[in-house]
Amino acid sequence: MRLIGYLPLGTAGRCFAFDWWHLEMGGWYNAIIVQADTDGKRNWPPIPDTARNWAYRLRIQDSSSVE
């Protein structure tokens, strides 16, 4: 399964913290930084374990805090 999606208007080129939430055990897992392309489109990272249930969140990163 691949997650493919568009981010809201005004987010083209913006960086986001992408975190997976393990629904069965709880807790955030494998936070990474992702960036939208110039159209606001982003291919999400692969699901850590497809045999488990996951949710995710995106948090907008301030450009001064992204390494």
Side-chain angles (χ1 to χ4, degrees):
M1 177 180 182
R2 262 180 61 201
L3 298 172
I4 301 173
Y6 287 89
L7 298 171
L9 292 174
T11 59
R14 297 285 306 263
C15 291
F16 298 85
F18 186 102
D19 304 291
W20 288 106
W21 176 263
H22 194 295
L23 293 173
E24 297 162 4
M25 298 176 63
W28 293 107
Y29 174 81
N30 201 24
I32 63 168
I33 301 297
V34 296
Q35 185 172 8
D37 66 12
T38 56
D39 294 325
K41 187 175 180 183
R42 178 62 198 159
N43 290 323
W44 307 121
I47 296 171
D49 180 353
T50 57
R52 303 282 183 219
N53 294 312
W54 299 91
Y56 67 90
R57 69 178 174 186
L58 286 174
R59 295 174 290 143
I60 295 174
Q61 296 292 292
D62 181 335
S63 60
S64 63
S65 66
V66 177
E67 297 177 5

